[in-house]
Amino acid sequence: RACRSARRATGPMARNEEKAQAMLNRFVVAKRDANRVDMTKRPYLASECEDVSHCEVYRGQILKELSKKVSLIQNEGLDEHRVRDLNDAINKLIREKGHWERQIKKLGGADHFRTAPRLFEDDAEEVVPGRGYRYFGAAKKLPGVRELFRKRAPEREKRTRFEMLKGIDADYYGYRDDDDGVLEELERAAEEGSLQQAREDWEARKAARLAAGEPADEEESDGEGDGEDARRAERFQEALPDREAIERAILEKRKREMLAMLGGGDAGGAPKHKEEGSINLVPKSW
């Protein structure tokens, strides 16, 4: 009975104390929250924040949002407009992250441009490198974007004259074509074929001349003209004076000129050589 009465006496007191303690705890928590800066909403401009720790918190929030959106945009089953909105939001978050990193560096914090790893860089592609706008995941396969990333065929560069001359050697001019013996066999076969064709053509012309009543051999028909040419050449050779006749003619001419100068006789009455009839005459102008 004493215990029961003690419990009854202390029971309501314990509940009141617990209630008071709970109320005190809530008051302390509410006071602490009231004194705490609200970090759930980021400032519109990074330059408005003057605390490095707060800037780091906001940068961490941006990284979490980036990771979530990049994982969402990998789903190729999303609608086209949804993919475009996600890609725009990711690019906006990347720019905002850069602003906060500059503010952190300005306030004396860590230089994330150098020390932080390049997140989401492997999956992103840029149409114009260095211009900022990137395409992630399914955005790279959107209509109109796929053609931008299609690699063009490399243009063939025109070789210079020096580069073309570097590849020219003896083989280019065919100086060593006969070394392997293949060309010799081909030429021999072609020569035999040409001779056979020429022989057949000659036989056909010969048969045609016999049928027309002409000489059978072409050399016989050309023999008369060749003989006349030979006789004409012999007569021309005989008409030419030899060396001795030229020397005698020059000597006689000088004698006549000397006699005409001395007045000892007529240039036209100079004695004639005894063997004038037996030598080749020179032209009268000599």
Side-chain angles (χ1 to χ4, degrees), residues 1 4 47 112 123 151 175 193 214 231 248 253 259 275:
R1 289 179 181 178
R4 290 178 182 176
S47 59
H112 294 287
D123 184 58
K151 294 183 179 179
Y175 289 146
E214 298 178 358
R231 288 191 294 271
R248 284 194 292 269
K253 183 177 181 180
L259 291 174
E275 299 179 358

Side-chain angles (χ1 to χ4, degrees), residues 62-76 78 86-87 89-91 93-94 119-124 135-139:
I62 294 173
L63 289 177
K64 291 179 182 179
E65 295 179 13
L66 268 174
S67 178
K68 182 179 179 180
K69 292 183 182 298
V70 169
S71 61
L72 285 176
I73 204 173
Q74 304 299 327
N75 185 8
E76 298 183 0
L78 296 175
L86 280 173
N87 197 76
I90 291 171
N91 282 273
L93 287 173
I94 289 176
L119 300 176
F120 320 114
E121 296 267 343
D122 298 336
D123 184 58
Y135 293 89
F136 296 83

